[in-house]
Amino acid sequence: MRRKPRILTVLLLSNLVLLGLPLGGLWLLRLYESALVRQTETELVAQAAVLAAAYRLEWQGPEAAPTPRAPLAPRPAGLDLARDPVRPLAPTALPGPAPEPRAAAAGARLGPVLVETQRITLAGIRLLDRQGVVVATSREELGLSLAAMEEVQAALAGQAISSLRARRVDADQPRGAASLSRGAALRVVVTQPVEQAGQVIGAVLLSRTPPGIDQTIYNNRHAFGGLALALLLAAGLLAAFTAYAVSRPIQAVTARARAVAAGQRPPPGRVRRSAVREADELAAAIQAMAATLEQRADYIRGFATEVSHEFKTPLAGLRGALELLQDHAASMAPAERDRFLAQAAGDVDRLDRLVRRLLELARAEAPLPQTPARCALEPVVQAAADAFPGLRWQSENPEPAPPLAVPAEALRAALACLFENTLQHAGPGASCRLSWQAEEGWLLLEVADDGRGISPGNASRIFDRFFTTARETGGTGLGLTIARSRLEAAGGSLQLVPGGPGARFRLRLPLA
């Protein structure tokens, strides 16, 4: 049961999962947005490679020798919104030096190609010479210099680079199907150096706004709608699991508690196990309470039967004696009348002993909370033996016993019961031997007499209520029951030691 979580843990985990669903959705959207950026970068890299090759061939001219086949050098996409910074707005193109003639001639031939390419790809394309001057463009910067851009500087140094740039958003600009996302606040910038014979002769600069999340969600609204339904279904299943694991077992335990409160026997079988510790603990407590109540009810029924049986015999004798005296007292001889009166007095004495024993049994079996007690063995034994002048006793331990953590009155009552039983069964002049030994925080005290002992058939019944073989000498059958109950209430125990001669009892008492 200790391995199971508590209700607080289950509810906390459930709430964390429910909170994690939308957070996980936002995280997935962020990942998807980064994937859109990398997709845009991949497309621009491919376009840059094609345009760089075309620019180099146009720069060489038709009379140039064929370029030897270069080794493969793929350029993977690597932009990440969570890792890469977004640079500020790109600097404005400024007037610069005159472009190189060969680069200008190559750009003039490729200019119409760039314009047609932009119509399809929506990317801003610029071809630059080795000075950073625009020699061909799909826009209006022809003849201006972009040498101030970090990306252009890296490309002219021979390094291909991709970056994110902030983009100015015009709120009044209409949005149409021709734009992937006019509301996006950033652009993907890709530069590719153009090399000839190991020398940089120019660069290709491309930029484009990546597709926006809003447009992507709209275009994939059916898929995202299914995802939302899946999240709702997951939340519903989580709530159903919580109800199944927590609520239903608690309801079953509540039904059992109501049955016990109504005086009914709880239904047979164990309560269905729960996923949380509190529900199992409550079910175990209810089951233990029901078992205790049933045990108490059985005890009361058996006790009432035994008490009525014990009271029936003296009451019947008393009633018979009184009826005879009432009807025939005048005609009876004095000796006969005295015999009936003595019989009635004996029955009254027996009823008085039974009542007193029952009160003692009630106090012993339902003791009040006691403060920690401490007593010495020898004075308690002497006080118990003083009540029986006809009993001879001796202790086999010359040294005094260690102090006991037992109320003196409980120990005296138990010893007095044993001494009284010795006189009732062994007769006047009987003797008792007391011996003790201490071990592991306990004192084992043995009380043995020199009587005829207890037969094997009666040994298992001597602690039963109202069982006695000395009814003629005043035995009520409650002494040993009371003695054991009082010692158990004090933390000790009382048991019969088999073997003889005589009867031997062992008292297990806690040491102080």
Side-chain angles (χ1 to χ4, degrees):
M1 188 179 299
R2 293 182 179 178
R3 298 180 180 177
K4 294 186 176 182
R6 294 192 177 275
I7 292 179
L8 177 62
T9 305
V10 172
L11 295 180
L12 180 60
L13 291 178
S14 301
N15 292 332
L16 288 178
V17 171
L18 290 177
L19 179 62
L21 290 178
L23 293 180
L26 293 177
W27 178 71
L28 290 176
L29 289 178
R30 187 66 173 174
L31 289 180
Y32 190 65
E33 189 176 8
S34 292
L36 293 176
V37 169
R38 284 191 292 272
Q39 176 186 352
T40 302
E41 180 189 3
T42 301
E43 296 172 357
L44 293 180
V45 167
Q47 297 174 34
V50 173
L51 292 174
Y55 183 21
R56 183 174 60 255
L57 293 176
E58 290 293 337
W59 187 86
Q60 291 175 349
E63 69 281 357
T67 304
R69 185 180 182 87
L72 297 177
R75 179 183 172 184
L79 290 178
D80 191 342
L81 288 176
R83 184 184 67 248
D84 296 318
V86 178
R87 298 181 178 181
L89 293 172
T92 305
L94 302 174
E100 295 182 352
R102 294 181 68 178
R109 289 189 293 270
L110 292 175
V113 177
L114 303 187
V115 175
E116 289 298 322
T117 302
Q118 187 188 32
R119 291 180 60 249
I120 303 301
T121 64
L122 304 179
I125 309 172
R126 303 161 183 92
L127 300 182
L128 312 174
D129 66 2
R130 70 182 68 193
Q131 306 173 89
V133 178
V134 179
V135 295
T137 179
S138 60
R139 310 179 110 185
E140 298 82 17
E141 299 99 337
L142 187 63
L144 299 178
S145 175
L146 293 176
M149 288 185 64
E150 294 91 335
E151 295 88 341
V152 173
Q153 295 173 5
L156 295 179
Q159 180 183 1
I161 188 172
S162 301
S163 64
L164 298 173
R165 283 277 183 183
R167 176 179 178 273
R168 184 179 291 107
V169 179
D170 189 358
D172 298 331
Q173 186 178 16
R175 302 181 186 180
S179 173
L180 287 177
S181 180
R182 292 187 180 273
L186 58 85
R187 290 177 69 87
V188 177
V189 179
V190 172
T191 56
Q192 177 71 35
V194 183
E195 298 179 351
Q196 171 62 29
Q199 299 293 324
V200 177
I201 60 174
V204 178
L205 174 64
L206 295 95
S207 63
R208 196 183 80 187
T209 303
I213 288 292
D214 52 353
Q215 184 181 8
T216 304
I217 292 177
Y218 179 77
N219 293 336
N220 299 276
R221 55 188 178 276
H222 299 295
F224 281 100
L227 178 61
L229 290 178
L231 292 178
L232 290 177
L233 179 61
L237 291 177
L238 184 61
F241 169 76
T242 304
Y244 178 81
V246 179
S247 301
R248 290 186 60 187
I250 291 181
Q251 291 175 359
V253 172
T254 303
R256 293 175 69 91
R258 288 175 178 170
V260 172
Q264 305 172 0
R265 287 182 178 268
R270 65 182 182 89
V271 178
R272 190 170 63 86
R273 289 294 183 182
S274 168
V276 294
R277 191 187 308 174
E278 285 87 349
D280 285 348
E281 290 176 350
L282 181 59
I286 293 294
Q287 197 165 1
M289 181 185 68
T292 302
L293 292 178
E294 287 299 321
Q295 184 179 5
R296 291 286 179 86
D298 294 339
Y299 175 85
I300 292 174
R301 284 191 293 267
F303 186 75
T305 301
E306 294 169 353
V307 168
S308 62
H309 176 75
E310 289 296 321
F311 273 65
K312 185 182 300 182
T313 300
L315 284 175
L318 182 61
R319 181 183 297 110
L322 292 177
E323 288 177 354
L324 287 173
L325 290 173
Q326 184 178 7
D327 296 337
H328 306 288
S331 59
M332 284 184 179
E336 188 177 10
R337 186 169 54 252
D338 292 341
R339 181 169 60 85
F340 281 113
L341 289 175
Q343 178 181 347
D347 291 333
V348 170
D349 291 339
R350 177 164 180 77
L351 289 175
D352 180 66
R353 287 195 302 272
L354 284 173
V355 170
R356 284 189 285 105
R357 286 295 194 181
L358 287 176
L359 291 176
E360 293 177 7
L361 180 63
R363 295 192 200 100
E365 294 191 347
L368 296 175
Q370 298 176 352
T371 57
R374 185 185 179 99
C375 69
L377 177 63
E378 288 75 12
V380 175
V381 173
Q382 186 65 51
D386 289 344
F388 305 96
L391 178 71
R392 295 181 291 106
W393 68 275
Q394 63 178 354
S395 175
E396 298 182 354
N397 297 84
E399 70 276 9
L404 303 174
V406 177
E409 179 57 27
L411 179 57
R412 188 206 62 78
L415 292 174
C417 172
L418 297 179
F419 293 160
E420 183 180 8
N421 285 348
T422 298
L423 290 177
Q424 288 178 347
H425 294 277
S431 64
C432 283
R433 302 182 311 277
L434 281 77
S435 62
W436 58 263
Q437 62 177 355
E439 59 176 35
E440 297 181 358
W442 297 92
L443 183 79
L444 302 183
L445 174 65
E446 285 197 3
V447 179
D449 60 35
D450 57 355
R452 62 179 181 272
I454 301 173
S455 65
N458 294 334
S460 60
R461 302 179 58 193
I462 60 171
F463 290 105
D464 293 345
R465 295 184 303 268
F466 302 110
F467 174 77
T468 179
T469 58
R471 200 175 303 274
E472 295 78 8
T473 57
T476 60
L478 294 175
L480 288 176
T481 304
I482 296 172
R484 185 174 64 173
S485 298
R486 297 196 68 170
L487 287 181
E488 289 178 351
S493 64
L494 174 64
Q495 60 181 357
L496 175 68
V497 180
R504 296 173 58 199
F505 291 89
R506 178 178 294 138
L507 290 74
R508 192 167 186 261
L509 308 172
L511 292 176

